[in-house]
Amino acid sequence: QVQLVESGGGLVQAGGSLRLSCAASGDTSSGYVMGWFRQAPGKEREFVAAITWRGDRRYYSNSLKGRFTISMENAKNMVSLQMNSLTPEDTAIYYCAAKGSILAVTTRSYDYWGQGTQVTVSS
């Protein structure tokens, strides 16, 4: 089992940047795939990005690629999401998730979830 705790959300103006972090604890020896998802009010949870535990493979939502960057800090058991050029449409709760070793983009593929962190982008 692994526990996930997100941090770094907040209020930012359009065009600004935020960096989200997710700390993993528990049995991290298995080498999980780490993912970020987001859920805006009234919408389904959607895939943002995923990365292997070693950081050697990444995958992004096509609509976000180029503005968002996912990275691993293995020494800290932490995955980060750098978000640039934010727009009000990026307003959502952002969730960190973990699963077994194969990259995936669907919510049902992930076994462990954090509580989420709110990101609000003002116009």
Side-chain angles (χ1 to χ4, degrees), residues 41-81:
K43 295 187 177 180
E44 293 187 353
R45 194 170 298 188
E46 65 171 347
F47 173 77
V48 173
I51 188 169
T52 54
W53 190 258
R54 293 191 302 173
D56 57 339
R57 294 183 63 197
R58 296 172 174 84
Y59 192 75
Y60 294 94
S61 165
N62 286 335
S63 64
L64 300 173
K65 193 174 183 178
R67 293 195 298 122
F68 288 15
T69 302
I70 190 171
S71 60
M72 279 297 302
E73 296 182 62
N74 294 102
K76 299 180 180 179
N77 288 345
M78 185 173 293
V79 59
S80 297
L81 184 70

Side-chain angles (χ1 to χ4, degrees), residues 98-119:
K99 66 178 296 296
S101 58
I102 299 175
L103 285 170
V105 303
T106 60
T107 55
R108 64 178 181 269
S109 299
Y110 285 76
D111 301 306
Y112 305 101
W113 292 85
Q115 292 299 307
T117 185
Q118 177 71 48
V119 171

